Amino acid sequence: KEDRLHDKITHAQESADLSKETVNKMRYLVTIRDSLVHDHRFNKLPDRRKFALIYDSVEEELKEVLAKRGQIMAMQMMCVSFVEVLSHLCGKEA
């Protein structure tokens, strides 16, 4: 069984000591993503600007945390599904 994105966030929180604020933001982004993917009645971002701002702040903290740990490759692998899917939802290039 694959881990869900919320499970991956929990693991990242525990292993990377992410701030509670960032974890909450990540959970918000994943909840919106899950709704867009799985709920056919949910077909647009409720607040595109808020989503984009939260996305940008999460991406920045993840880059900072992983860069400090010297794990650039890990960052790329960890963020691929998260960042690319969320970038696509924001209408941004990954």
Side-chain angles (χ1 to χ4, degrees):
K1 177 185 170 197
E2 283 190 40
D3 287 340
R4 298 175 315 131
L5 289 174
H6 283 283
D7 297 329
K8 292 179 181 192
I9 291 170
T10 299
H11 176 73
Q13 178 182 18
E14 294 166 355
S15 64
D17 195 31
L18 298 176
S19 71
K20 184 174 178 134
E21 178 183 357
T22 294
V23 169
N24 289 340
K25 289 177 182 179
M26 290 171 72
R27 291 194 188 287
Y28 168 80
L29 296 173
V30 168
T31 298
I32 297 294
R33 177 255 177 218
D34 287 348
S35 294
L36 286 166
V37 170
H38 300 294
D39 183 351
H40 69 280
R41 295 168 293 159
F42 194 98
N43 56 15
K44 69 178 186 174
L45 297 172
D47 185 340
R48 185 180 180 91
R49 186 174 189 286
K50 176 182 175 183
F51 187 93
L53 290 171
I54 290 173
Y55 166 83
D56 288 340
S57 71
V58 167
E59 181 183 28
E60 188 62 33
E61 181 167 341
L62 290 176
K63 286 180 179 180
E64 288 174 14
V65 167
L66 292 169
K68 287 177 187 174
R69 295 175 70 189
Q71 297 177 352
I72 300 305
M73 291 299 291
M75 175 186 68
Q76 291 169 346
M77 291 173 63
M78 181 176 128
C79 293
V80 163
S81 61
F82 189 72
V83 171
E84 288 184 359
V85 168
L86 296 177
S87 292
H88 177 69
L89 293 174
C90 285
K92 298 173 77 174
E93 294 296 319

